[in-house]
Amino acid sequence: KGGNLMQQIANFAEAFIKLFNLGGENLMGLVTGILPTLLVLITLVNAIIAIVGQERVDKLAALASKNVITRYTILPILAVFFLTNPMCYNFGKFVEEKYKPAYYDATVLFPHANAGELFVYQGIAAGITALELSTGQLAVRYFLVGVVVILIRGIVTERITVMLMKKQAK
């Protein structure tokens, strides 16, 4: 009976270490796969901001925050593209206080701002890749559907927030 307990402990220890080994393999896949691409993209975006000027980027963001459509489409897209996560939420400074929860809700949907969305996309992309199809069309469709969804989420969250603020004011 003592040998059985020792075997169970040994099996648990092996499974425990295997979990970390698999995590390490996944990390190395990221380091040799997508991370260099992301670093180069972030460098390019920072260079564009430096060339265009931070003031101009800020003015464009402030302009985009004025209209309900651009507030929940253009502004989150610019924020995530130019600043990535978590800096993209800083564009919320251009949004009126009552719209900030909705802006955040719209911004958090994009795959590079939300790890959950990235894993959904990667799962679908793995299936597409296994079928030896291009993931380019998937990426464009995923982006377009994402824009529609963030607009809907932004508008719904904005209305809920305004309603709750009115209720709280009473």
Side-chain angles (χ1 to χ4, degrees):
K1 194 168 192 174
N4 189 20
L5 177 62
M6 289 304 285
Q7 185 60 44
Q8 288 176 344
I9 292 171
N11 289 344
F12 174 77
E14 288 174 6
F16 185 76
I17 291 300
K18 185 175 182 178
L19 177 67
F20 288 94
N21 286 336
L22 290 172
E25 289 175 23
N26 187 36
L27 176 63
M28 286 309 296
L30 292 172
V31 168
T32 60
I34 195 168
L35 286 180
T37 303
L38 289 176
L39 289 173
V40 171
L41 180 60
I42 290 169
T43 303
L44 173 67
V45 168
N46 286 333
I48 291 170
I49 291 172
I51 291 168
V52 170
Q54 186 68 49
E55 305 80 30
R56 287 187 178 137
V57 172
D58 288 350
K59 284 180 185 177
L60 181 61
L63 181 65
S65 74
K66 302 298 180 201
N67 177 285
V68 68
I69 304 293
T70 58
R71 182 167 48 244
Y72 304 124
T73 56
I74 303 299
L75 187 61
I77 292 167
L78 289 175
V80 172
F81 183 78
F82 282 112
L83 301 176
T84 69
N85 189 28
M87 292 299 294
C88 60
Y89 307 117
N90 286 348
F91 267 29
K93 70 183 177 184
F94 301 110
V95 178
E96 288 182 50
E97 195 65 32
K98 64 183 177 183
Y99 302 137
K100 286 184 182 188
Y103 167 76
Y104 173 81
D105 198 27
T107 305
V108 78
L109 182 69
F110 284 102
H112 41 293
N114 180 342
E117 293 296 328
L118 177 61
F119 289 120
V120 169
Y121 173 80
Q122 286 181 325
I124 296 168
I128 298 291
T129 303
L131 294 172
E132 297 182 4
L133 299 171
S134 170
T135 56
Q137 288 187 13
L138 172 67
V140 170
R141 288 182 173 129
Y142 197 87
F143 175 77
L144 294 175
V145 168
V147 172
V148 171
V149 170
I150 65 171
L151 175 61
I152 293 168
R153 285 174 61 149
I155 291 170
V156 169
T157 304
E158 176 182 307
R159 292 204 174 142
I160 292 170
T161 303
V162 169
M163 181 182 69
L164 290 174
M165 290 173 79
K166 285 180 183 177
K167 188 176 181 179
Q168 188 177 21
K170 290 180 183 181

Coordinates of all heavy atoms in Angstrom, one line a residue, residues 55-93:
E55 N 1.5 65.1 -30.7 CA 0.4 66.0 -30.7 C -0.7 65.8 -31.7 O -1.9 65.9 -31.5 CB 0.9 67.5 -30.8 CG 2.0 67.9 -29.8 CD 3.4 67.3 -30.3 OE1 3.7 67.2 -31.5 OE2 4.2 67.0 -29.3
R56 N -0.2 65.4 -32.9 CA -1.2 65.1 -34.0 C -2.0 63.9 -33.7 O -3.2 63.8 -34.0 CB -0.4 65.0 -35.3 CG 0.0 66.4 -35.9 CD 0.6 66.2 -37.3 NE 1.0 67.5 -37.7 CZ 2.2 67.7 -38.4 NH1 3.0 66.7 -38.7 NH2 2.5 68.9 -38.8
V57 N -1.3 62.9 -33.2 CA -2.0 61.6 -32.8 C -3.0 61.9 -31.8 O -4.2 61.4 -31.8 CB -1.0 60.5 -32.4 CG1 -1.7 59.3 -31.8 CG2 0.0 60.1 -33.5
D58 N -2.7 62.7 -30.8 CA -3.6 63.1 -29.7 C -4.8 63.9 -30.3 O -5.9 63.6 -29.9 CB -2.9 63.9 -28.6 CG -1.9 63.1 -27.8 OD1 -2.0 61.9 -27.9 OD2 -1.2 63.7 -27.0
K59 N -4.5 64.8 -31.2 CA -5.6 65.6 -31.8 C -6.6 64.6 -32.6 O -7.8 64.8 -32.5 CB -5.1 66.6 -32.8 CG -4.5 67.8 -32.0 CD -4.0 68.9 -33.0 CE -3.3 70.0 -32.3 NZ -2.7 71.0 -33.2
L60 N -6.0 63.7 -33.3 CA -6.8 62.8 -34.1 C -7.7 61.9 -33.1 O -8.9 61.7 -33.3 CB -6.0 61.8 -34.9 CG -6.7 60.8 -35.8 CD1 -7.7 61.5 -36.8 CD2 -5.7 59.9 -36.5
A61 N -7.1 61.5 -32.0 CA -7.9 60.7 -31.0 C -9.0 61.6 -30.4 O -10.1 61.1 -30.2 CB -6.9 60.2 -29.9
A62 N -8.7 62.8 -30.1 CA -9.7 63.7 -29.5 C -10.8 63.9 -30.5 O -12.0 63.9 -30.1 CB -9.1 65.0 -29.1
L63 N -10.5 64.1 -31.7 CA -11.5 64.3 -32.8 C -12.4 63.0 -32.9 O -13.6 63.1 -33.0 CB -10.9 64.6 -34.1 CG -11.8 64.8 -35.3 CD1 -12.7 66.1 -35.0 CD2 -11.0 65.0 -36.6
A64 N -11.8 61.8 -32.9 CA -12.5 60.6 -33.0 C -13.4 60.3 -31.8 O -14.4 59.6 -31.9 CB -11.5 59.4 -33.1
S65 N -13.2 60.9 -30.7 CA -14.0 60.7 -29.5 C -15.3 61.4 -29.5 O -16.2 61.2 -28.7 CB -13.2 61.1 -28.2 OG -13.1 62.5 -28.1
K66 N -15.5 62.4 -30.4 CA -16.7 63.2 -30.4 C -17.9 62.6 -31.0 O -19.0 62.9 -30.6 CB -16.4 64.5 -31.2 CG -15.2 65.3 -30.8 CD -15.4 65.8 -29.3 CE -14.2 66.6 -28.9 NZ -14.2 66.7 -27.5
N67 N -17.8 61.6 -31.9 CA -18.9 61.0 -32.5 C -19.1 59.6 -32.0 O -18.1 58.9 -31.8 CB -18.7 61.0 -34.0 CG -19.8 60.3 -34.8 OD1 -19.8 59.1 -34.8 ND2 -20.6 61.1 -35.5
V68 N -20.3 59.1 -31.8 CA -20.6 57.8 -31.2 C -20.0 56.7 -32.1 O -19.4 55.7 -31.6 CB -22.1 57.6 -31.0 CG1 -22.9 57.5 -32.3 CG2 -22.3 56.3 -30.1
I69 N -20.1 56.8 -33.4 CA -19.5 55.8 -34.3 C -18.0 55.7 -34.2 O -17.4 54.7 -34.0 CB -20.0 56.0 -35.8 CG1 -21.5 56.1 -35.9 CG2 -19.4 55.0 -36.7 CD1 -22.3 54.8 -35.6
T70 N -17.4 56.9 -34.4 CA -15.9 56.9 -34.4 C -15.4 56.6 -32.9 O -14.3 56.1 -32.8 CB -15.4 58.2 -34.9 OG1 -15.9 59.3 -34.1 CG2 -15.7 58.4 -36.4
R71 N -16.2 57.0 -31.9 CA -15.7 56.8 -30.5 C -15.6 55.3 -30.3 O -14.7 54.9 -29.5 CB -16.7 57.4 -29.6 CG -16.4 57.3 -28.1 CD -17.2 58.1 -27.2 NE -18.6 58.1 -27.4 CZ -19.4 59.1 -27.7 NH1 -18.8 60.3 -28.0 NH2 -20.7 59.0 -27.9
Y72 N -16.4 54.4 -30.9 CA -16.3 53.0 -30.6 C -15.8 52.2 -31.8 O -15.9 51.0 -31.8 CB -17.7 52.5 -30.1 CG -18.2 53.3 -28.9 CD1 -19.4 53.9 -28.9 CD2 -17.3 53.4 -27.8 CE1 -19.8 54.7 -27.8 CE2 -17.7 54.1 -26.7 CZ -19.0 54.7 -26.7 OH -19.3 55.5 -25.6
T73 N -15.3 52.9 -32.8 CA -14.6 52.1 -33.9 C -13.2 52.7 -34.1 O -12.2 52.1 -33.8 CB -15.4 52.2 -35.2 OG1 -15.7 53.5 -35.6 CG2 -16.7 51.4 -35.0
I74 N -13.2 53.9 -34.7 CA -11.9 54.5 -35.0 C -11.0 54.7 -33.8 O -9.8 54.3 -33.9 CB -12.1 55.9 -35.7 CG1 -13.0 55.7 -37.0 CG2 -10.7 56.5 -36.1 CD1 -12.4 54.8 -38.0
L75 N -11.5 55.3 -32.7 CA -10.7 55.5 -31.6 C -10.1 54.2 -31.0 O -8.8 54.2 -30.8 CB -11.5 56.3 -30.5 CG -10.6 56.8 -29.3 CD1 -9.5 57.7 -29.7 CD2 -11.6 57.5 -28.3
P76 N -10.9 53.2 -30.7 CA -10.2 52.0 -30.2 C -9.2 51.3 -31.2 O -8.2 50.8 -30.7 CB -11.4 51.0 -30.0 CG -12.6 51.9 -29.8 CD -12.3 53.1 -30.7
I77 N -9.6 51.4 -32.5 CA -8.6 50.8 -33.5 C -7.3 51.6 -33.5 O -6.2 51.0 -33.4 CB -9.3 50.8 -34.9 CG1 -10.4 49.8 -34.9 CG2 -8.2 50.5 -35.9 CD1 -11.3 49.9 -36.1
L78 N -7.4 52.9 -33.5 CA -6.2 53.7 -33.4 C -5.4 53.5 -32.1 O -4.2 53.3 -32.1 CB -6.5 55.2 -33.5 CG -7.0 55.7 -34.9 CD1 -7.4 57.2 -34.8 CD2 -5.9 55.5 -35.9
A79 N -6.1 53.4 -31.0 CA -5.5 53.2 -29.7 C -4.7 51.9 -29.7 O -3.6 51.8 -29.3 CB -6.5 53.3 -28.6
V80 N -5.4 50.8 -30.1 CA -4.8 49.5 -30.0 C -3.6 49.4 -31.0 O -2.6 48.8 -30.7 CB -5.8 48.4 -30.2 CG1 -5.2 47.0 -30.4 CG2 -6.8 48.4 -29.1
F81 N -3.8 50.0 -32.2 CA -2.8 49.9 -33.2 C -1.5 50.7 -32.8 O -0.4 50.2 -32.9 CB -3.3 50.4 -34.6 CG -2.3 50.3 -35.7 CD1 -2.0 49.0 -36.2 CD2 -1.6 51.4 -36.1 CE1 -1.1 48.9 -37.2 CE2 -0.6 51.2 -37.1 CZ -0.4 50.0 -37.7
F82 N -1.7 51.9 -32.4 CA -0.6 52.8 -32.1 C 0.0 52.5 -30.7 O 1.2 52.7 -30.6 CB -1.0 54.3 -32.2 CG -1.1 54.8 -33.6 CD1 -2.3 55.1 -34.1 CD2 0.1 54.9 -34.4 CE1 -2.4 55.6 -35.4 CE2 0.0 55.3 -35.7 CZ -1.2 55.7 -36.2
L83 N -0.8 52.1 -29.8 CA -0.3 52.1 -28.4 C -0.2 50.6 -27.9 O 0.5 50.4 -26.9 CB -1.1 52.9 -27.4 CG -1.2 54.4 -27.8 CD1 -2.2 55.1 -26.9 CD2 0.2 55.0 -27.8
T84 N -0.9 49.7 -28.4 CA -1.0 48.3 -27.9 C -1.5 48.3 -26.5 O -1.8 49.3 -25.9 CB 0.3 47.5 -28.1 OG1 1.3 48.0 -27.2 CG2 0.8 47.6 -29.5
N85 N -1.6 47.1 -26.0 CA -2.1 46.9 -24.6 C -1.0 47.0 -23.6 O 0.1 46.5 -23.9 CB -2.8 45.5 -24.5 CG -3.5 45.2 -23.3 OD1 -4.0 46.2 -22.6 ND2 -3.6 44.0 -22.9
P86 N -1.1 47.6 -22.5 CA -2.2 48.3 -21.9 C -2.3 49.8 -22.2 O -3.2 50.4 -21.7 CB -2.0 48.0 -20.4 CG -0.5 48.1 -20.3 CD 0.0 47.5 -21.6
M87 N -1.4 50.3 -23.0 CA -1.3 51.8 -23.2 C -2.6 52.3 -24.0 O -2.9 53.4 -23.9 CB 0.0 52.2 -23.9 CG 1.2 52.0 -23.1 SD 1.2 53.0 -21.6 CE 1.2 54.6 -22.3
C88 N -3.2 51.4 -24.7 CA -4.3 51.8 -25.6 C -5.5 52.4 -24.7 O -6.2 53.2 -25.2 CB -4.9 50.6 -26.4 SG -5.4 49.2 -25.4
Y89 N -5.5 52.0 -23.5 CA -6.6 52.5 -22.6 C -6.4 54.0 -22.3 O -7.3 54.7 -21.9 CB -6.8 51.7 -21.4 CG -6.9 50.2 -21.7 CD1 -6.0 49.3 -21.3 CD2 -8.0 49.8 -22.5 CE1 -6.2 47.9 -21.7 CE2 -8.2 48.5 -22.8 CZ -7.2 47.5 -22.4 OH -7.4 46.2 -22.8
N90 N -5.2 54.5 -22.5 CA -4.9 55.9 -22.2 C -5.6 56.8 -23.2 O -5.9 58.0 -22.8 CB -3.4 56.2 -22.3 CG -2.6 55.6 -21.2 OD1 -3.2 55.2 -20.1 ND2 -1.3 55.6 -21.3
F91 N -6.0 56.3 -24.3 CA -6.8 57.1 -25.2 C -8.2 57.5 -24.6 O -8.9 58.3 -25.1 CB -7.0 56.4 -26.6 CG -5.9 56.8 -27.6 CD1 -4.7 57.2 -27.2 CD2 -6.2 56.8 -29.0 CE1 -3.7 57.5 -28.2 CE2 -5.3 57.1 -29.9 CZ -4.0 57.5 -29.5
G92 N -8.5 56.8 -23.6 CA -9.7 57.1 -22.9 C -9.7 58.5 -22.3 O -10.8 59.0 -22.0
K93 N -8.6 59.1 -22.2 CA -8.5 60.4 -21.6 C -9.2 61.4 -22.6 O -9.6 62.5 -22.1 CB -7.1 60.9 -21.4 CG -6.2 61.1 -22.6 CD -4.8 61.4 -22.3 CE -3.9 61.6 -23.6 NZ -2.5 61.8 -23.2

